Amino acid sequence: MDFTTLREDFPLIAGRPDLVYLDSAATSQKPKRVLEALDRYYKELNANVHRGAYRLSVAATEAYEEARRRMARFLNAEEREIIFVRNTTEALNLVAYAWGLRNLKEGDEILVTEMEHHAGLVPWHLVAGLKGARIKAIPLTEEGRLDLSALDTLLTERVKVVSVVHMSNVLGTINPVAEIARRAKEVGALVVVDGAQSAPHLPVDVKALGADFFALSGHKMLGPTGAGVLFGRYEVLEGMMPFLGGGEMIREVHVDRSTYAPPPQRFEAGTPPIAEAIALGEAASYLMEIGMERVYAHDRALLEYALKRLAEVPDLKVYGPKGEDRGGVIPFTLGRLHPHDLATFLDQEGIAVRAGHHCAQPLHRKLGLAATARASFYLYNTFEEVDRFVEALLRIHTRYRAWL
């Protein structure tokens, strides 16, 4: 498949030939059909869902529920296991509070990893503090992979939750979630997967992964901001209390008590992000039509080419594993240049990259760094853009050599 032809589907990319956008790990660009789906809802379907017997409301409800069906197909899940949320952060907070707050007790352990995004850490910090639970982490190897040998001592019957990122937003490491889940289930632990980076780039089958929960953000997979998904295994969801209370999520309400709707409605209090969810469903269809295997293969080809070319840049250091277990994310530093300065200099060359700790301070602390610059690829990027990126770095190196 010729991915260069897809660039015409993205108005911002097609309209800005001067821009090399290498920040899709932060947010992706949007194809026309996703933008049109968002616009169409407000122009043709604007009514609240699940609340009206009139035809416009019924049509809006059908479009919203069709988005749920599409996300279920995208993840190989059941429709009733798909909960619409704002983003991965909200999804992981939902699990921590709605499950963790009611199931964890003093002395229990939560197992995370040293490469987690803050969204995979802070909710568990808050709940552990309230319940007296302890947090432990699977360490990293020098290559930037999880040290699975540590599971022999870390995974005990005290561990009630294993929360793991599927693909690192910093190193690009693709973690062996299915193996970790299998080991976790042997001690009866719940498995929570942060799929914010994997869902846009890899084929995801939540059943094959063995996940009890899997969270993703729509805006990273060609969808709009404000809509994400939490997959929850129905047997687990059914036994959970709500995260938020209000309209939509109830069965019956009295002055002094209430009962609740079954999942997924139990976890979708109030008016949901209707337009955004519909547009996210369109993004999922766009990706499924291309094929996630092809998306991943394109990312990998760009990654391999970029790593080869970046070796030409003096004083440049790239972080992350070498091998097939890595997605299209490259963190790097250039000599003594601060990553923020480096990102600014690249921007002056028309190259958009991210700089900072990327919401992963423990990982950067492990690397002995305060920050890195990060380039990340997606299906609309090209080999020619990689060349422009590398050539810009070579010019920056020449220009600021005295600082390095």
Side-chain angles (χ1 to χ4, degrees), residues 12-13 16-29 328 330 332 339-355 358 372-378 380-381 385-386 388-390 392-393 396:
L12 190 146
I13 295 290
R16 293 285 306 274
D18 59 313
L19 173 67
V20 175
Y21 185 77
L22 300 180
D23 196 24
S24 292
T27 198
S28 66
Q29 298 303 323
I330 301 177
F332 60 97
H340 290 165
D341 294 328
L342 179 54
T344 299
F345 298 150
L346 283 167
D347 181 55
Q348 292 167 354
E349 299 272 353
I351 315 294
V353 301
R354 182 110 340 211
H358 315 302
T372 54
R374 182 188 70 190
S376 51
F377 307 114
Y378 209 3
Y380 37 66
N381 290 123
E385 287 184 316
V386 172
R388 289 174 61 184
F389 168 48
V390 173
L393 283 169
I396 291 167

Side-chain angles (χ1 to χ4, degrees), residues 184-205:
K185 297 297 175 68
E186 290 175 355
V187 299
L190 200 76
V191 178
V192 183
V193 182
D194 174 354
Q197 296 298 328
S198 61
H201 298 277
L202 314 176
V204 172
D205 181 335

Side-chain angles (χ1 to χ4, degrees), residues 109-126:
E109 293 178 357
I110 301 160
L111 185 60
V112 296
T113 81
E114 289 184 330
M115 66 170 68
E116 297 302 305
H117 187 283
H118 295 165
L121 295 173
V122 178
W124 295 116
H125 296 167
L126 295 170

Side-chain angles (χ1 to χ4, degrees), residues 226-263:
V229 162
L230 173 66
F231 155 81
R233 191 161 56 82
Y234 195 78
E235 292 78 7
V236 182
L237 292 175
E238 206 172 20
M240 290 166 54
M241 292 292 282
F243 175 46
L244 299 174
E248 278 298 289
M249 46 69 67
I250 54 88
R251 189 188 300 274
E252 196 171 275
V253 175
H254 301 268
V255 170
D256 61 342
R257 66 192 185 280
S258 54
T259 56
Y260 311 112

Side-chain angles (χ1 to χ4, degrees), residues 112-118 121 125 137-146 165 167-173 175 197 319-321 326 329-331 356-372 374:
V112 296
T113 81
E114 289 184 330
M115 66 170 68
E116 297 302 305
H117 187 283
H118 295 165
L121 295 173
H125 296 167
I138 304 170
L140 288 183
T141 66
E142 290 185 3
E143 295 80 20
R145 296 181 174 91
L146 294 180
V165 63
M167 174 177 156
S168 169
N169 72 309
V170 178
L171 300 174
T173 311
N175 290 317
Q197 296 298 328
Y319 302 85
R326 178 175 183 164
V329 178
I330 301 177
H357 54 62
H358 315 302
C359 296
Q361 287 182 319
L363 172 54
H364 278 81
R365 201 170 290 122
K366 180 80 172 185
L367 297 174
L369 300 168
T372 54
R374 182 188 70 190

Side-chain angles (χ1 to χ4, degrees), residues 53-163:
Y54 56 94
R55 284 173 290 176
L56 187 61
S57 177
V58 171
T61 299
E62 172 55 28
Y64 179 73
E65 292 302 329
E66 171 59 21
R68 194 189 308 276
R69 290 189 286 272
R70 293 182 185 188
M71 293 309 303
R73 290 196 298 274
F74 187 77
L75 296 174
N76 191 29
E78 298 178 34
E79 291 174 40
R80 62 181 184 168
E81 296 176 318
I82 299 297
I83 300 164
F84 283 117
V85 292
R86 287 183 302 152
N87 46 41
T88 302
T89 298
E90 182 178 328
L92 295 174
N93 273 272
L94 190 161
V95 175
Y97 281 93
W99 187 90
L101 204 58
R102 292 181 177 273
N103 289 279
L104 293 172
K105 61 183 185 300
E106 187 170 0
D108 285 344
E109 293 178 357
I110 301 160
L111 185 60
V112 296
T113 81
E114 289 184 330
M115 66 170 68
E116 297 302 305
H117 187 283
H118 295 165
L121 295 173
V122 178
W124 295 116
H125 296 167
L126 295 170
V127 170
L130 292 170
K131 302 300 291 186
R134 294 191 294 267
I135 296 174
K136 295 187 175 181
I138 304 170
L140 288 183
T141 66
E142 290 185 3
E143 295 80 20
R145 296 181 174 91
L146 294 180
D147 183 0
L148 296 187
S149 67
L151 292 178
D152 295 337
T153 54
L154 288 171
L155 266 181
T156 70
E157 291 185 356
R158 292 189 299 273
V159 175
K160 304 304 177 186
V161 181
V162 176
S163 187

